[in-house]
Amino acid sequence: MSYQQLPSIDKLIKSAEGVRLVAEFGHTAVVNVCRQLIEQGREHIKKENELPSFFSNIALTLDEVKHHLHKQNQVNIQSVHNLTGTILHTNLGRALWSPPAQQAALMAMSQNVALEYDLDMAKRSHRDNYISDLLAQLTGAEAACIVNNNAAAVLLMLATFAQGKEVIISRGELIEIGGSFRIPDIMQQAGCKLVEVGTTNRTHLSDYRQAINENTAFLMKVHSSNYQICGFTKSVSEQELVNLGEEYHLPVITDLGSGALVDLTQYGLPSEPTVQEKWQQGVDLISFSGDKLLGGPQAGIIVGKKALIERLQTHPLKRALRCDKVILAGLEATLRLYLQPEKLAEKLTTLHLLTQPVETLHNQAEQLKNALEDYLTPEYQLQIEKSLAQIGSGSQPLARLPSVAVTISTSISGKLTALLTCFKKLPQPIIGRVEKDKIWLDLRGLADIQALVTMLNEQEKMP
Ligand SMILES: *Cc1c(COP(=O)(O)O)cnc(C)c1O
């Protein structure tokens, strides 16, 4: 087998199809792909002493070139079906944006917007202003500052008020959140000294009091979002800390994590502390995420006293941590939904998913089971079962939500793993969870049953 049988780049790009590809993708990209394929062909001849099949005629070669060019245009961040039963799944991108947020973001990304431009006064205004007013209206707090995520919010608060100083925090609240966000590490990055008080399970007000000295910057509470300490426990409430802070003129800062803006129990969901309630207890600054229970884009939101927020806004780090116009537009549109609380469960996608009735999920499970029956080979058994979903992203880690799942089992060893691999290779991969030797496809976090069923119906039987 000789290398002479490989076509030249010139021959490929001057063929009729080659000329068409150059017109569509440009000379550089087409030549690069041709070169790669010819190189592959050489390697193949060297190893196998034969031409790769796509070099058997020029039409097949150009088909391969076209395939590679199209593939170059596909982004690697791929959409998936979330059937894990975890609604706010950090590894799957947390909250889905509600339609009004999507529209606002699309507007902001495709048009110029008056981001830092006051249309009434014709002078430069602040990019967080609109949202700050809205959050003040929704939470009662005086002002707000928006950054990229809640980790950035904590960093900015510490750097602004506690650089070179001490921050007092309970040992029971020195948390690590997935993706190695550790409170002690953030403290170090912000250049402040962590003063741990109490023990893992018990912290008293007197522990805080004894740790206060002239170098103390503020008292901090961190919501224990992804774990719970049970049994013989004692922690100090925000209310008590606020009283102590007032005595020593020290601000109290709370990292709330998820930070609900409405009382979730009215929807039959587990209770999660609200931002409003922390503000009413007198906390000076409260930080929380935009893409957890709030149901909006990734962002870190800090609300609180105006004088403190202004210092955050003017700290040099704020410039590095600020959000872009697309996120701000999406966040504002998300927050506007909260102005109509009776409509929230219908319009805010996250809350809609969390509150779907079990009967709806059951109906979806039947559709999914039917579609899977045609797709799966006979060694798999399908069942519809009661399931327990969870909110995710550290909200109420022990609470479970009633849900429904299609479960898949098989008596042939190795077949379950094979199916999981197969699910991952679908055009829009299916992500479930494995429990009790079964695959559980939990319907509560699924955004689009129709898309899922259509995709499965378009597949040949599983390989
Ligand atoms: C989730 C969480 C964070 C991190 O928030 P991101 O928005 O992911 O940066 C920080 N603190 C607490 C208590 C959390 O629950």
Side-chain angles (χ1 to χ4, degrees):
M1 179 57 53
S2 115
Y3 297 106
Q4 313 291 238
Q5 280 171 280
L6 289 166
S8 68
I9 292 181
D10 212 46
K11 184 173 171 205
L12 290 171
I13 63 174
K14 290 203 169 127
S15 67
E17 177 65 0
V19 169
R20 206 196 59 71
L21 289 175
V22 169
E24 186 178 347
F25 296 94
H27 185 263
T28 309
V30 179
V31 167
N32 282 345
V33 168
C34 290
R35 188 173 290 132
Q36 280 162 21
L37 290 181
I38 291 169
E39 189 49 44
Q40 254 182 43
R42 278 211 187 89
E43 289 288 316
H44 199 84
I45 293 171
K46 200 157 76 184
K47 281 204 195 105
E48 317 282 338
N49 200 30
E50 62 174 24
L51 276 175
S53 58
F54 58 82
F55 275 122
S56 52
N57 67 58
I58 188 158
L60 275 180
T61 309
L62 286 161
D63 249 10
E64 187 71 12
V65 173
K66 186 165 96 182
H67 173 73
H68 278 256
L69 287 164
H70 278 285
K71 230 174 124 184
Q72 273 183 358
N73 285 344
Q74 277 169 17
V75 286
N76 268 331
I77 293 190
Q78 214 187 336
S79 95
V80 299
H81 291 289
N82 177 9
L83 291 145
T84 59
T86 300
I87 288 73
L88 298 170
H89 199 302
T90 298
N91 298 349
L92 301 181
R94 290 193 189 158
L96 303 177
W97 294 25
S98 301
Q102 297 173 25
Q103 281 156 24
L106 190 61
M107 178 278 292
M109 73 179 75
S110 51
Q111 293 166 37
N112 282 113
V113 291
L115 183 64
E116 296 179 346
Y117 188 90
D118 188 333
L119 288 174
D120 300 327
M121 318 283 276
K123 68 173 165 48
R124 199 181 137 101
S125 150
H126 201 281
R127 66 170 58 202
D128 293 349
N129 269 353
Y130 300 109
I131 293 183
S132 184
D133 291 349
L134 193 52
L135 276 165
Q137 192 182 343
L138 290 169
T139 65
E142 292 167 10
C145 174
I146 315 296
V147 287
N148 268 316
N149 49 43
N150 189 29
V154 173
L155 177 67
L156 181 60
M157 294 191 293
L158 292 168
T160 304
F161 300 109
Q163 198 160 32
K165 296 179 120 191
E166 297 179 358
V167 174
I168 305 177
I169 182 168
S170 159
R171 266 202 185 87
E173 296 171 13
L174 292 175
I175 59 163
E176 170 175 323
I177 296 164
S180 65
F181 169 88
R182 285 180 169 190
I183 289 285
D185 296 343
I186 301 268
M187 294 255 182
Q188 200 182 5
Q189 287 301 318
C192 45
K193 182 164 173 242
L194 169 71
V195 179
E196 306 167 30
V197 297
T199 58
T200 305
N201 59 334
R202 290 175 73 84
T203 305
H204 304 269
L205 192 62
S206 56
D207 295 329
Y208 287 91
R209 187 186 291 279
Q210 276 159 25
I212 294 176
N213 63 36
E214 67 287 349
N215 227 350
T216 306
F218 59 77
L219 311 175
M220 185 164 188
K221 281 284 283 184
V222 180
H223 184 59
S224 61
S225 38
N226 50 1
Y227 69 101
Q228 250 168 34
I229 297 178
C230 307
F232 184 57
T233 64
K234 164 92 178 79
S235 66
V236 176
S237 73
E238 261 92 353
Q239 188 75 68
E240 292 170 278
L241 266 196
V242 165
N243 293 341
L244 183 67
E246 272 168 9
E247 216 178 293
Y248 291 91
H249 302 289
L250 292 172
V252 174
I253 289 181
T254 291
D255 168 12
L256 202 47
S258 220
L261 285 183
V262 287
D263 174 10
L264 293 180
T265 58
Q266 66 184 302
Y267 305 104
L269 294 169
S271 141
E272 178 78 19
T274 64
V275 178
Q276 289 89 330
E277 130 198 352
K278 297 295 166 200
W279 172 252
Q280 274 155 21
Q281 285 166 4
V283 176
D284 297 271
L285 290 175
I286 304 151
S287 80
F288 51 102
S289 297
D291 55 353
K292 291 184 179 174
L293 273 174
L294 186 84
Q298 179 191 301
I301 301 169
I302 308 165
V303 300
K305 299 251 166 75
K306 195 170 181 132
L308 300 182
I309 294 284
E310 264 162 22
R311 284 184 57 197
L312 294 174
Q313 290 287 10
T314 51
H315 191 281
L317 256 188
K318 168 66 202 309
R319 177 62 179 76
L321 302 175
R322 73 181 188 186
C323 286
D324 88 311
K325 59 181 179 170
V326 176
I327 298 296
L328 290 172
L331 183 59
E332 188 193 337
T334 305
L335 289 168
R336 288 199 173 280
L337 298 175
Y338 284 85
L339 294 171
Q340 291 154 15
E342 290 85 357
K343 293 278 155 195
L344 203 58
E346 182 188 325
K347 298 207 166 150
L348 186 72
T349 304
T350 298
L351 196 55
H352 166 73
L353 293 175
L354 290 172
T355 57
Q356 288 177 105
V358 169
E359 301 80 73
T360 307
L361 301 180
H362 208 277
N363 179 288
Q364 293 182 2
E366 265 160 18
Q367 295 180 55
L368 175 57
K369 182 166 174 266
N370 285 341
L372 282 169
E373 258 153 18
D374 292 334
Y375 176 67
L376 297 181
T377 41
E379 62 267 27
Y380 294 101
Q381 286 86 49
L382 288 161
Q383 241 183 308
I384 293 179
E385 294 189 57
K386 277 188 190 159
S387 175
L388 292 172
Q390 54 182 325
I391 299 179
S393 284
S395 301
Q396 293 298 327
L398 300 184
R400 291 292 176 270
L401 311 174
S403 187
V404 181
V406 175
T407 62
I408 307 169
S409 53
T410 175
S411 52
I412 306 173
S413 84
K415 277 283 175 186
L416 223 45
T417 319
L419 182 56
L420 286 171
T421 310
C422 200
F423 278 164
K424 282 189 196 159
K425 289 194 179 139
L426 288 166
Q428 192 175 357
I430 291 178
I431 317 286
R433 66 173 196 266
V434 177
E435 215 174 273
K436 300 181 216 149
D437 294 326
K438 288 179 182 180
I439 297 175
W440 291 69
L441 303 177
D442 188 308
L443 277 306
R444 185 162 294 282
L446 178 67
D448 193 344
I449 179 71
Q450 206 45 58
L452 175 57
V453 167
T454 306
M455 175 186 75
L456 285 171
N457 289 342
E458 280 168 0
Q459 301 302 309
E460 310 272 317
K461 237 186 189 5
M462 71 173 281

